[in-house]
């Protein structure tokens, strides 16, 4: 196991998209009431007094859609200003990004991941569950704004879905040729959406690499990421291609992260609900900070067993209590 020093923080469980791989189609989601969300002050207490003393130095803000969180720029500024923060990043769908990209950068955010599952408006709208005005252009504007502001690396996340957007793999890979963009192909995961998984499955990363290799060639990149992606590069390209292969190529041994939900549940493994801790309730009930640190340290001690021994727990039936959007990815 790598040292676990990376916390993914879900700021809100709501999203302005309804992507099929993130929210089961037709499902009625029980959104968290405002009073049950971690407040900014509670979140900062947990970061400063629990996670940082245990060794966490890298933080990623996620959702749902994190830009729906009120006062998100101020929260970014406060986390970035902590002297122990070595890395602060965000994952967003980009729809609300363009007007505040500069503000986020000025607040201290330096790395950003933006979801871009298709370059075709109709396919894009199909994936995000959009039945009204197309949202593709606003997302593309958000990507351009982030690029112009200077976010580096700028990563574009692509969940490849058979029969939906897998025909665009080469077009999406080509985005790395002339710009220092980093496209990351992600195997679809059946978290909270087993029906879609069972019907359509996922495309193995090696199949995608073979397509790209046949078109341009492909070499292992000298650029290494902070996460589970295997990084490659088209010869002569300015950007890189990452492949996150959680279904076809287990990377549990490289996992360096835990996840904090918007309502304060700490989850040691994305694919497994074992071992979660309710930090919000503990904090509000007056449990000492020392005790919370001890609980976190105990969880980190058994994380490797949760990752390996029970990796497939729940995946055979899609029996998860929360969808991907509610977990924070």
């Amino acid at each position: 196991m790598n040292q676990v020093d990376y916390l993914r923080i879900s700021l809100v469980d709501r999203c302005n998209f309804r992507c099929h791989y993130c929210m089961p189609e037709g499902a009625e989601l029980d959104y968290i009431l405002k009073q049950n969300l971690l407040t900014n002050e509670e979140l900062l207490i947990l970061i400063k007094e629990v996670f940082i003393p245990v060794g966490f130095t890298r933080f990623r803000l996620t959702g749902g859609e994190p830009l729906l969180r009120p006062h998100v720029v101020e929260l970014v500024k406060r986390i970035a200003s902590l002297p122990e923060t070595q890395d602060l990043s965000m994952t967003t769908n980009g729809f609300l990004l363009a007007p505040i990209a500069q503000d986020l950068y000025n607040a201290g955010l330096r790395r950003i991941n933006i979801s871009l599952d298709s370059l075709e408006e109709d396919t894009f709208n199909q994936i995000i569950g959009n039945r009204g005005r197309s949202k593709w252009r606003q997302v593309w504007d958000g990507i351009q704004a982030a690029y112009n502001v200077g976010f580096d690396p700028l990563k574009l996340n692509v969940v490849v879905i058979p029969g939906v957007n897998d025909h665009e793999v080469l077009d999406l890979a080509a985005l790395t040729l002339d710009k220092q963009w980093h496209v990351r192909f992600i195997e679809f995961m059946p978290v909270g959406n087993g029906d879609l998984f069972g019907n359509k499955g996922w495309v193995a990363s090696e199949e995608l690499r073979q397509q790209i290799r046949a078109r341009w060639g492909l070499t292992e990149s000298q650029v290494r990421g902070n996460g589970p992606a295997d990084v490659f590069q088209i010869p002569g390209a300015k950007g890189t291609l990452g492949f996150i292969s959680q279904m076809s190529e287990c990377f549990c041994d490289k996992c360096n992260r835990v996840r904090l939900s918007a309502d304060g549940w700490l989850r040691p493994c994305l694919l497994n609900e074992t071992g979660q801790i309710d930090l919000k309730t503990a904090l509000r009930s007056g449990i000492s900070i020392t005790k919370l640190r001890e609980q976190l340290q105990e969880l980190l001690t058994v994380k490797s067993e949760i990752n390996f021994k029970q990796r497939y727990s729940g995946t055979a039936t899609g029996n998860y209590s929360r969808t991907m959007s509610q977990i924070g990815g």
Side-chain angles (χ1 to χ4, degrees):
M1 285 289 296
N2 287 345
Q3 178 184 355
V4 182
D5 60 359
Y6 182 2
L7 177 66
R8 294 181 65 102
I9 303 167
S10 176
L11 297 183
V12 62
D13 64 333
R14 299 172 186 268
C15 188
N16 42 9
F17 288 3
R18 204 176 175 95
C19 300
H20 296 169
Y21 54 78
C22 201
M23 297 184 185
E25 189 171 6
E28 293 299 324
L29 303 181
D30 293 324
Y31 290 116
I32 301 168
L33 298 175
K34 182 178 179 180
Q35 62 265 32
N36 292 330
L37 292 171
L38 283 170
T39 66
N40 285 0
E41 292 305 321
E42 288 171 334
L43 177 55
L44 287 162
I45 287 172
L46 289 174
I47 292 173
K48 290 189 294 185
E49 300 187 27
V50 179
F51 287 99
I52 286 176
V54 172
F56 284 79
T57 58
R58 296 187 283 173
F59 308 99
R60 175 174 291 277
L61 305 178
T62 70
E65 171 46 48
L67 296 184
L68 291 175
R69 174 88 174 204
H71 313 297
V72 65
V73 173
E74 177 61 25
L75 184 58
V76 165
K77 184 176 181 179
R78 294 181 69 180
I79 298 174
S81 66
L82 297 173
E84 298 88 352
T85 299
Q86 295 182 8
D87 182 62
L88 178 61
S89 55
M90 177 181 287
T91 296
T92 172
N93 62 32
F95 184 69
L96 300 173
L97 181 58
I100 63 170
Q102 186 68 61
D103 292 337
L104 289 168
Y105 190 87
N106 293 345
L109 192 70
R110 289 294 178 269
R111 299 197 303 113
I112 197 162
N113 291 32
I114 304 171
S115 297
L116 183 69
D117 294 315
S118 177
L119 295 172
E120 301 172 358
E121 286 199 41
D122 290 344
T123 302
F124 180 85
N125 289 321
Q126 175 190 348
I127 292 172
I128 70 170
N130 182 45
R131 294 176 175 82
R133 183 179 177 184
S134 176
K135 296 181 178 180
W136 186 90
R137 174 54 58 181
Q138 204 158 330
V139 171
W140 187 251
D141 289 345
I143 293 169
Q144 298 293 335
Y147 176 66
N148 292 331
V149 162
F151 281 100
D152 184 24
L154 173 64
K155 295 182 180 178
L156 304 178
N157 291 347
V158 181
V159 177
V160 181
I161 306 172
V164 178
N165 64 346
D166 53 340
H167 64 286
E168 294 186 69
V169 168
L170 294 180
D171 292 335
L172 288 159
L175 294 176
T176 69
L177 294 174
D178 299 322
K179 290 186 174 68
Q180 198 171 337
W181 290 359
H182 306 274
V183 174
R184 309 192 328 158
F185 294 107
I186 304 171
E187 292 178 357
F188 167 65
M189 300 174 69
V191 176
N193 204 349
D195 291 340
L196 182 61
F197 174 77
N199 291 337
K200 297 183 178 178
W202 38 270
V203 181
S205 293
E206 181 54 29
E207 293 182 32
L208 306 183
R209 289 193 290 266
Q210 288 175 1
Q211 288 186 48
I212 298 166
R213 192 177 290 117
R215 174 64 178 84
W216 292 289
L218 196 62
T219 60
E220 289 196 31
S221 173
Q222 299 302 310
V223 178
R224 308 311 302 172
N226 290 322
D230 294 312
V231 185
F232 293 78
Q233 195 162 25
I234 295 170
K238 293 183 178 180
T240 65
L241 297 168
F243 299 86
I244 300 180
S245 316
Q246 62 276 2
M247 300 308 296
S248 66
E249 304 167 15
C250 176
F251 51 67
C252 289
D253 59 321
K254 294 191 288 186
C255 182
N256 62 346
R257 63 199 61 195
V258 293
R259 291 165 171 81
L260 183 65
S261 69
D263 58 349
W265 280 90
L266 185 67
R267 185 184 183 112
C269 177
L270 179 58
L271 278 174
N272 190 347
E273 295 189 329
T274 301
Q276 298 181 87
I277 301 174
D278 184 359
L279 292 178
K280 181 201 69 185
T281 298
L283 188 65
R284 291 183 181 179
S285 64
I287 292 178
S288 71
I289 294 297
T290 299
K291 182 62 177 177
L292 293 182
R293 288 179 193 164
E294 291 173 354
Q295 290 181 356
L296 174 55
Q297 287 172 325
E298 290 171 3
L299 182 62
L300 297 182
T301 300
V302 299
K303 176 172 165 56
S304 60
E305 295 184 14
I306 292 173
N307 281 358
F308 287 101
K309 293 184 178 179
Q310 302 177 49
R311 176 172 181 262
Y312 297 102
S313 175
T315 61
T317 60
N319 184 26
Y320 287 92
S321 63
R322 293 190 175 194
T323 65
M324 187 75 80
S325 65
Q326 295 168 313
I327 297 168

